Amino acid sequence: PRRHPGLICTVLLRRRGKAGPLTVMSCDNLPLNGNTARDSVLAFARLVDQDLATYIAQEVPFPNAMVDRITPVTKPEQIDILKQEYGVEDGWPVVAEPFLQWVVEDKFVKGRPAWEKACSGPNESVLFVDDVEPYELMKLRLLNSSHSAMAYVSLLACHKFVDEALTDIDVLTFLRAYMNEVVTTLVPVAGVNFIEYRAKLVERFSNPYIKDTLARLALDGSQKFEATLGRALVEHFKGCAACNFDVLALAFAAFLRCCATSTFDGIAPSPDITIDDPKKSLLEPLATDALRCCVQEHESGDALDVEAEDAWRAKGEQATSSFLSCVFGKGVEDFSELSALVYKHFTSLVFRGMRDCLASYRQEQLLRIKAEIAATYEVLRTLQRQEILLTPPEEAEATTIEVTS
């Protein structure tokens, strides 16, 4: 055998009836990697030895595992530092953040290594759990999809590095709001406080020593968005009001804007942004079509041609729907509210720019929050008046709550 399924089958065949089964542990950075490894090994075994396939299916565990650590691309200067300051010559050292989490499905034969004892600091942990998938979904949606979302938003705001972008209060506000929206798609995860987890993510993203580039995060956007949010869109947002995914829509609009690489009627593509995506040949024409409709709608509005304006808007929303379907598959093609909201944000990005849109969004959120605070105080004051009416005078001093605005 020359590939891993055949090699694993060979080892298991030789051990069968002698040393017995062992645990096959996949460390590939794929969702449910143990299941994938099991499927490939069983497929090979069924082709060569059905009895071996039955043995593997019944006796050999393939635990799933998930690793969480940000590892940006190694730069030449880091290779030089390692050589000059530590005397180590390494052609490709791996640079990583201090944080490290490994979540492993506790499904082993004949015991397991005590990897948790290897953790030496507060930023390191190995968790053995019954089900890895909730942790995996949490990471995919809150870490990976947030990386993609902030990449396109930050590139359009003319940032280059992740930590630099998060010193921009408008980008930081967007990221926090995005996470607040995405977290609603998750089920509770044992041992995890989502508020603390999101705060830790922002802290990790802001690490100035990692110098992770936004261009790296923007690679393969269609694949990353589909892998991290495709299931969430279908399961959690179908039938929801558009306001429930407003920040996601802004993120998708930023990706759409970055893919509109053609110049149309004086509207030029965003500077210094190169889209490297496996679906680039499909996405660029759709994004350019959305841009064309956007410009024509704007011109029709200036000419007070309401009928033409509405027609171009409808075409723009359809182009946006086709773009989203190309990214996420046909499961989202009926999400007309989402397409309309993404196109609305896209139009704002084309004519106002990302910085202005982000600043306006932050101000709108502040006004909304202040209004909600004022309404809450009014409810409390009403309750306090009712409490005074119902409380005997001798108990009033002990029970009255002071409410200030």
Side-chain angles (χ1 to χ4, degrees):
R2 291 176 294 178
R3 300 183 183 276
H4 78 269
L7 292 170
I8 292 172
C9 284
T10 301
V11 170
L12 293 173
L13 180 62
R14 290 177 179 177
R15 290 176 60 94
R16 184 183 175 192
K18 297 178 182 179
L22 49 70
T23 301
V24 180
M25 176 99 193
S26 172
C27 294
D28 205 348
N29 191 22
L30 292 172
L32 300 177
N33 50 12
N35 293 358
T36 302
R38 184 177 188 271
D39 291 343
S40 65
V41 170
L42 280 174
F44 184 92
R46 291 188 186 106
L47 292 174
V48 296
D49 187 333
Q50 184 57 50
D51 289 340
L52 176 63
T54 301
Y55 167 75
I56 292 172
Q58 294 176 351
E59 303 292 338
V60 179
F62 291 76
N64 292 302
M66 179 212 80
V67 67
D68 182 1
R69 196 175 205 186
I70 297 173
T71 53
V73 175
T74 302
K75 303 178 181 66
E77 53 266 31
Q78 293 163 338
I79 297 175
D80 293 339
I81 290 173
L82 192 63
K83 179 180 179 180
Q84 294 169 10
E85 297 189 11
Y86 298 93
V88 177
E89 293 192 35
D90 190 331
W92 202 265
V94 177
V95 179
E97 63 173 334
F99 182 90
L100 170 62
Q101 184 181 65
W102 196 17
V103 183
V104 183
E105 185 180 7
D106 199 356
K107 188 171 68 174
F108 291 76
V109 65
K110 298 181 179 180
R112 60 167 172 79
W115 285 317
E116 68 275 17
K117 293 183 179 179
C119 300
S120 59
N123 286 316
E124 299 177 356
S125 64
V126 178
L127 304 177
F128 289 96
V129 300
D130 293 332
D131 185 5
V132 170
E133 190 172 25
Y135 297 86
E136 207 154 50
L137 288 177
M138 176 180 69
K139 181 207 168 194
L140 285 171
R141 294 179 188 176
L142 285 176
L143 189 156
N144 298 112
S145 88
S146 295
H147 258 168
S148 297
M150 75 166 292
Y152 300 110
V153 166
S154 301
L155 286 170
L156 289 170
C158 299
H159 293 294
K160 182 178 180 181
F161 296 101
V162 177
D163 63 293
E164 165 205 324
L166 289 177
T167 63
D168 183 333
I169 185 60
D170 294 325
V171 173
L172 178 59
T173 299
F174 163 82
L175 179 63
R176 286 172 171 165
Y178 179 89
M179 289 182 178
N180 286 344
E181 210 165 82
V182 170
V183 77
T184 63
T185 71
L186 297 171
V187 299
V189 178
V192 177
N193 180 308
F194 283 145
I195 295 175
E196 294 175 357
Y197 183 81
R198 298 196 310 263
K200 186 67 176 179
L201 284 180
V202 173
E203 177 188 324
R204 291 167 61 192
F205 291 176
S206 302
N207 186 338
Y209 298 102
I210 292 296
K211 280 300 170 196
D212 207 359
T213 64
L214 294 162
R216 182 186 80 87
L217 302 189
L219 290 172
D220 305 332
S222 63
Q223 287 186 335
K224 290 176 180 177
F225 271 135
E226 196 281 328
T228 58
L229 290 178
R231 178 175 158 188
L233 285 177
V234 174
E235 291 182 355
H236 297 275
F237 292 115
K238 190 169 186 177
C240 292
C243 60
N244 291 336
F245 41 78
D246 185 59
V247 190
L248 270 77
L250 177 56
F252 300 157
F255 183 39
L256 177 62
R257 182 69 185 98
C258 288
C259 289
T261 56
S262 300
T263 300
F264 186 84
D265 279 10
I267 304 294
S270 301
D272 302 322
I273 297 178
T274 302
I275 293 298
D276 189 346
D277 194 284
K279 292 185 178 180
K280 181 176 179 178
S281 62
L282 300 173
L283 295 173
E284 283 189 344
L286 294 171
T288 300
D289 192 26
L291 177 61
R292 178 177 63 87
C293 295
C294 175
V295 173
Q296 294 286 9
E297 178 193 346
H298 185 74
E299 291 178 353
S300 299
D302 288 344
L304 301 180
D305 188 341
V306 177
E307 185 176 343
E309 184 181 17
D310 290 343
W312 281 113
R313 182 184 305 113
K315 291 179 181 178
E317 291 174 0
Q318 181 55 53
T320 302
S321 177
S322 298
F323 181 89
L324 294 175
S325 294
C326 185
V327 173
F328 294 106
K330 294 189 178 298
V332 301
E333 61 186 0
D334 296 329
F335 289 14
S336 57
E337 276 195 86
L338 175 61
S339 299
L341 189 55
V342 172
Y343 179 71
K344 179 182 176 182
H345 283 308
F346 175 72
T347 301
S348 296
L349 292 178
V350 169
F351 292 105
R352 294 168 54 196
M354 178 54 78
R355 285 193 172 278
D356 187 38
C357 288
L358 287 177
S360 296
Y361 175 79
R362 182 167 63 87
Q363 291 302 321
E364 289 169 4
Q365 293 301 301
L366 282 174
L367 290 174
R368 181 185 61 79
I369 291 170
K370 288 179 180 179
E372 290 181 1
I373 290 173
T376 301
Y377 276 129
E378 185 57 39
V379 170
L380 289 174
R381 278 190 283 268
T382 300
L383 291 173
Q384 186 181 49
R385 287 192 290 269
Q386 293 174 355
E387 179 193 40
I388 291 171
L389 291 172
L390 297 172
T391 303
E394 62 272 17
E395 299 177 12
E397 183 175 345
T399 59
T400 300
I401 301 173
E402 182 180 355
V403 178
T404 58
S405 60

